[in-house]
Amino acid sequence: MVYQNEKAIYIRIAERICDDILSGHYAEGSRVPSVREIAAAYEVNPNTAMRAVEILQRDEVVYQQRGIGVFVAEGARRKILAARKEDFLRHDIPEFLRRLQLLGMGIEEVVRAWEQNQEVNKDLKK
């Protein structure tokens, strides 16, 4: 797995679980791995895994049923999408536009690349 080095491991683990929720790997109401399972899967200390779960609970993405496990909360996918879109618009887009300007590129080139990517993805799905 490729990680962004500037983020703490427990944050990256929480983000990965959110990615799995967005991709449909974990549906709302379904069980996610336990703290011990996360620790084993990511080869981290259980305290690190617990911090990841605590972040997800704080953000109301998951909830814990004592003795049963951790489950994806109702509306979790919607909350994750909203947060990710906000972050994208606030951080990624300004940096992207700055880089376009530095490279002397116009939006037309981006649109062409987007369209080509869409065609490639269509072909891969066939």
Side-chain angles (χ1 to χ4, degrees), residues 56-88:
L56 297 171
Q57 287 178 314
R58 180 201 67 204
D59 293 344
E60 299 177 341
V61 170
V62 301
Y63 62 94
Q64 188 163 14
Q65 287 190 335
R66 195 172 273 306
I68 299 176
V70 179
F71 297 84
V72 178
E74 185 79 25
R77 188 173 193 286
R78 180 183 42 76
K79 286 179 184 178
I80 296 166
L81 275 173
R84 295 262 177 107
K85 285 178 183 180
E86 178 67 22
D87 184 64
F88 181 72

Side-chain angles (χ1 to χ4, degrees), residues 7-104:
K7 292 184 180 178
I9 293 171
Y10 67 93
I11 293 172
R12 296 186 306 228
I13 292 170
E15 288 177 346
R16 179 62 189 267
I17 293 169
C18 286
D19 290 347
D20 289 342
I21 292 169
L22 287 177
S23 72
H25 185 74
Y26 300 124
E28 292 180 4
S30 69
R31 185 181 170 282
V32 296
S34 69
V35 169
R36 277 187 262 185
E37 291 168 333
I38 292 170
Y42 291 93
E43 298 177 351
V44 296
N45 183 298
N47 291 330
T48 300
M50 176 55 91
R51 289 182 79 182
V53 171
E54 287 171 350
I55 287 174
L56 297 171
Q57 287 178 314
R58 180 201 67 204
D59 293 344
E60 299 177 341
V61 170
V62 301
Y63 62 94
Q64 188 163 14
Q65 287 190 335
R66 195 172 273 306
I68 299 176
V70 179
F71 297 84
V72 178
E74 185 79 25
R77 188 173 193 286
R78 180 183 42 76
K79 286 179 184 178
I80 296 166
L81 275 173
R84 295 262 177 107
K85 285 178 183 180
E86 178 67 22
D87 184 64
F88 181 72
L89 291 170
R90 281 188 150 184
H91 300 104
D92 296 337
I93 291 292
E95 175 60 19
F96 174 74
L97 295 173
R98 185 187 73 76
R99 291 183 69 192
L100 279 180
Q101 189 175 23
L102 284 173
L103 295 170

